[in-house]
Amino acid sequence: MQYFTDTDMGLDIGQVNRAMESAFMDHGRGLVQMPPKLYITLPEGDFRTMPAYLPSLEIAGVKIVNVHPGNPAKGLLTVMALTVILDIDTGQPTAIINATRLTDMRTGAAGAVAAKYLSAAKEIVLGVVGTGMQAQAQVTAISRELKIRQIKIWGRNPEHIRKFADRFMEFPCLSSSLENTCDCDVLVTTTPSRSPIIRSEWIHEGTHINAIGADAPGKEELDPALLRRAQVFVDDPAQAIHSGEINVPISHGMYREDEIAGTLGEVVIGKKKRSDSGTITIFDSTGLAIQDLAIAKIALRHGKKMDLPFP
Amino acid sequence: MQYFTDTDMGLDIGQVNRAMESAFMDHGRGLVQMPPKLYITLPEGDFRTMPAYLPSLEIAGVKIVNVHPGNPAKGLLTVMALTVILDIDTGQPTAIINATRLTDMRTGAAGAVAAKYLSAAKEIVLGVVGTGMQAQAQVTAISRELKIRQIKIWGRNPEHIRKFADRFMEFPCLSSSLENTCDCDVLVTTTPSRSPIIRSEWIHEGTHINAIGADAPGKEELDPALLRRAQVFVDDPAQAIHSGEINVPISHGMYREDEIAGTLGEVVIGKKKRSDSGTITIFDSTGLAIQDLAIAKIALRHGKKMDLPFP
């Protein structure tokens, strides 16, 4: 058994995007095993347990990831993750991966796959709500799939906006109001909000939205009225209903499960698509265990490793 | 973060039994978080993912454990396990434990707690079906709770029976037919059988049975008619219905969920009990994630450890 650190170093973003596309393709074809993730509530946050088996890559394992919003005040990351990989022939644990940065990266790559297939425009104004790791990972990954003409960025902290703009100096970056940020071709929302912050009237026809922030029961970023105007694609229906952008509207009877337009996997295999260029499309991302396995498969070829005695 | 090996070395069996008793007590009082374990099927076996949070011990984590019956032919153990422990205040992974032998030990301890509370006799003839690690762990743990006057042992392999008897030289050990092994006060069944091997007519009134072997859908060791004669206590109803001794009879309509007499936790807190000395009692053990956390809490004070860089 080996322990892998710094596995994100030297990963090729384009390769990660292709790996995600392939994992969603398997998901769309029903070729994976992946029960909905399990949530455990801790006093100041939660952790999620995400097992899966991806036969096409001959990889199986479990990601364990926490969300603790109070951690930065303690000098710790909000989200930290480990992935345990098992040998598919014997069940023996073969690798433990520090998967914290891989988690951001694979979520960014899923957003890039969604934008590639669902954005009506190929040269885009990219609206970004939030300035954290997830916002940055989305921009990095999407920039490999679509040509970004301009980034509009909104966040609460001017210092974070400045750092964000410094990181993406290759793109014209405009600090905007929330309403003006929504005037774009592709909008990415990455906040931990528990009430809608994006009003329906701010979103014009033809926009594609990656709704990334809502990943637990009670979280939502979008006006429920916007969901009713849009085609909503989810990564996994069971997870999205439990903890995705649609979880609160569904629990309040403001959105119905049978209104979901399809899964991203079904979009990637061509079974579902944007109905026309004027439609608003939404990708409701909760994060799939197969994404963690797909990026682990690449990451195991990178990074430092240590031998651990087992069994 | 630290990696712990050989954590079973030097553990006090009595202390482990008390820790299990306390964990079942918390379970009986509804003081734990523990969703039913998740199963993933691999080509030649499966693995189970078991998250939980045990507030009374301030411990949270996930055990990952495989079952691959063909492994011994490859020189590997059938069952191998890792437990990941998270800090309850920050969600940060703090320990990874080689939990293979701890898994046998905590299952043995649960059987000992069940026998302590449910056996009508305190000085017992112990019938043991199967000779493997689980059988040995049951005898070791039960011997701390009840006085064993004699062990009757049944197994397919005479060499394994001889080794078993050598290990437990402090007890009179009798190699018996399956039927004669069932003539005892406490019977422990530990085989991976997928059809009943214990006939109802072999079990006399007042016997207590620890049904350990059935731990996955399709597995069963006991004649369903025996379940109808007995009070069946389970460790966790959802897990038992899915994968315990009662899973096959329930799926065939030969046993009903509402016939379950209670949980071991309810027995430990005194809410449920053996109805009289003539009743047959059965403990249907599937293995709980809180057992893994309770033994981890002790094991973290033992064994060798290595520092791992994280995050």
Side-chain angles (χ1 to χ4, degrees):
Chain A
M1 188 167 70
Q2 291 177 312
Y3 177 61
F4 290 76
T5 59
D6 302 316
T7 43
D8 59 317
M9 302 298 280
L11 287 202
D12 178 80
I13 301 293
Q15 187 185 10
V16 172
N17 286 357
R18 294 291 74 71
M20 264 348 95
E21 192 168 9
S22 172
F24 279 106
M25 198 175 288
D26 285 354
H27 185 252
R29 291 184 175 137
L31 301 177
V32 306
Q33 278 186 58
M34 186 185 65
K37 61 180 100 173
L38 292 176
Y39 285 69
I40 297 279
T41 304
L42 296 176
E44 298 176 45
D46 68 54
F47 73 94
R48 300 110 195 249
T49 306
M50 306 169 66
Y53 171 36
L54 195 45
S56 68
L57 293 183
E58 298 186 329
I59 191 166
V62 183
K63 189 174 80 166
I64 301 165
V65 58
N66 77 299
V67 178
H68 276 71
N71 272 1
K74 301 172 185 169
L76 286 171
L77 293 168
T78 301
V79 173
M80 292 174 279
L82 280 184
T83 301
V84 176
I85 302 296
L86 307 183
D87 183 87
I88 61 163
D89 293 323
T90 65
Q92 179 164 13
T94 55
I96 299 167
I97 305 172
N98 178 344
T100 301
R101 281 177 288 193
L102 296 178
T103 296
D104 291 330
M105 205 176 275
R106 63 77 153 148
T107 308
V113 172
K116 172 184 170 185
Y117 282 89
L118 292 171
S119 173
K122 299 309 164 197
E123 298 195 7
I124 63 169
V125 174
L126 179 60
V128 181
V129 176
T131 56
M133 298 302 291
Q134 264 313 320
Q136 296 170 39
Q138 291 285 322
V139 174
T140 302
I142 290 171
S143 71
R144 301 301 175 104
E145 305 301 324
L146 299 172
K147 181 167 170 52
I148 298 176
R149 289 192 288 112
Q150 184 185 44
I151 296 175
K152 293 180 177 180
I153 171 81
W154 178 86
R156 294 188 191 278
N157 185 321
E159 179 64 13
H160 292 177
I161 291 174
R162 197 187 55 74
K163 283 188 182 160
F164 184 97
D166 285 349
R167 170 154 177 197
F168 295 106
M169 285 177 63
E170 68 267 41
F171 306 115
C173 231
L174 183 68
S175 174
S176 301
S177 68
L178 197 48
E179 178 172 357
N180 186 254
T181 300
C182 290
D183 177 20
C184 63
D185 300 299
V186 173
L187 180 69
V188 173
T189 62
T190 65
T191 74
S193 184
R194 290 183 170 270
S195 59
I197 57 170
I198 306 296
R199 291 194 198 162
S200 181
E201 61 267 29
W202 293 344
I203 304 296
H204 61 66
E205 303 302 304
T207 306
H208 170 71
I209 303 172
N210 282 344
I212 306 298
D215 65 345
K219 287 189 178 177
E220 58 177 336
E221 299 182 277
L222 308 181
D223 185 344
L226 179 55
L227 302 181
R228 308 299 291 267
R229 285 171 64 201
Q231 281 181 291
V232 178
F233 297 92
V234 301
D235 49 11
D236 187 79
Q239 288 193 179
I241 292 162
H242 177 263
S243 49
E245 182 58 42
I246 60 177
N247 89 81
V248 177
I250 282 183
S251 69
H252 293 168
M254 298 175 77
Y255 192 77
R256 294 192 322 273
E257 188 177 334
D258 62 10
E259 293 181 275
I260 296 170
T263 66
L264 181 55
E266 291 173 324
V267 171
V268 173
I269 64 172
K271 194 173 164 190
K272 299 283 173 67
K273 61 176 184 179
R274 154 186 284 278
S275 57
D276 62 69
S277 62
T279 304
I280 296 166
T281 53
I282 297 173
F283 170 50
D284 180 356
S285 169
T286 62
L288 304 187
I290 54 167
Q291 294 175 239
D292 297 300
L293 293 182
I295 200 166
K297 188 78 181 186
I298 302 172
L300 289 171
R301 298 195 290 267
H302 293 262
K304 300 174 203 156
K305 55 191 175 188
M306 297 168 59
D307 283 320
L308 304 180
F310 189 94
Chain B
M1 189 166 70
Q2 291 178 312
Y3 176 61
F4 289 77
T5 59
D6 302 316
T7 43
D8 60 317
M9 301 298 279
L11 287 203
D12 178 79
I13 301 293
Q15 186 185 10
V16 173
N17 286 358
R18 293 293 72 72
M20 270 339 102
E21 193 168 8
S22 173
F24 279 107
M25 199 175 287
D26 285 353
H27 186 251
R29 291 184 174 137
L31 301 177
V32 306
Q33 277 187 58
M34 186 185 65
K37 60 180 102 173
L38 292 176
Y39 284 70
I40 297 278
T41 304
L42 295 176
E44 298 176 47
D46 68 55
F47 74 94
R48 299 111 194 248
T49 306
M50 305 168 67
Y53 171 36
L54 196 47
S56 67
L57 293 182
E58 298 186 329
I59 191 166
V62 183
K63 189 174 79 167
I64 301 165
V65 57
N66 77 299
V67 177
H68 277 71
N71 272 2
K74 301 171 186 171
L76 286 171
L77 294 167
T78 301
V79 173
M80 292 174 279
L82 280 185
T83 301
V84 177
I85 301 297
L86 308 183
D87 183 86
I88 62 163
D89 293 322
T90 66
Q92 180 165 11
T94 55
I96 299 167
I97 305 172
N98 178 344
T100 302
R101 281 177 288 191
L102 296 179
T103 296
D104 291 332
M105 203 176 277
R106 63 79 152 148
T107 308
V113 172
K116 172 185 170 183
Y117 282 89
L118 292 171
S119 172
K122 300 307 165 197
E123 298 195 6
I124 63 168
V125 173
L126 178 61
V128 181
V129 176
T131 56
M133 297 302 290
Q134 263 314 320
Q136 295 171 40
Q138 290 285 322
V139 174
T140 301
I142 291 171
S143 71
R144 301 301 175 103
E145 306 301 323
L146 300 172
K147 182 167 169 54
I148 297 175
R149 289 192 288 111
Q150 183 186 47
I151 295 174
K152 292 179 174 179
I153 172 81
W154 177 87
R156 293 186 192 281
N157 185 321
E159 178 64 13
H160 293 176
I161 292 173
R162 196 187 56 72
K163 283 187 182 160
F164 184 98
D166 285 349
R167 170 154 177 198
F168 295 105
M169 286 178 63
E170 68 268 40
F171 306 115
C173 230
L174 183 68
S175 173
S176 299
S177 68
L178 197 47
E179 178 172 358
N180 187 255
T181 300
C182 290
D183 177 20
C184 62
D185 300 299
V186 173
L187 180 69
V188 173
T189 63
T190 65
T191 74
S193 184
R194 290 184 169 268
S195 57
I197 57 171
I198 306 296
R199 291 194 198 164
S200 180
E201 62 267 29
W202 294 345
I203 303 296
H204 61 66
E205 303 303 304
T207 305
H208 171 71
I209 303 173
N210 282 345
I212 306 297
D215 64 348
K219 288 188 177 178
E220 57 176 337
E221 300 182 276
L222 308 182
D223 186 344
L226 178 55
L227 301 181
R228 309 299 293 266
R229 286 171 63 201
Q231 280 180 290
V232 178
F233 296 92
V234 301
D235 49 12
D236 186 79
Q239 287 193 179
I241 291 162
H242 176 263
S243 49
E245 181 60 40
I246 60 176
N247 88 81
V248 177
I250 281 183
S251 68
H252 292 169
M254 299 174 78
Y255 192 76
R256 293 192 323 273
E257 189 177 335
D258 62 10
E259 293 180 275
I260 296 170
T263 67
L264 181 55
E266 291 173 323
V267 171
V268 173
I269 64 172
K271 193 173 162 189
K272 300 285 175 68
K273 61 177 185 176
R274 154 186 285 278
S275 56
D276 63 69
S277 62
T279 304
I280 296 167
T281 54
I282 296 172
F283 170 50
D284 180 355
S285 169
T286 62
L288 304 187
I290 54 167
Q291 294 174 240
D292 296 300
L293 293 182
I295 200 166
K297 187 80 182 183
I298 302 173
L300 289 171
R301 297 195 291 266
H302 293 262
K304 299 174 202 155
K305 56 191 174 189
M306 297 168 59
D307 283 320
L308 303 181
F310 189 92

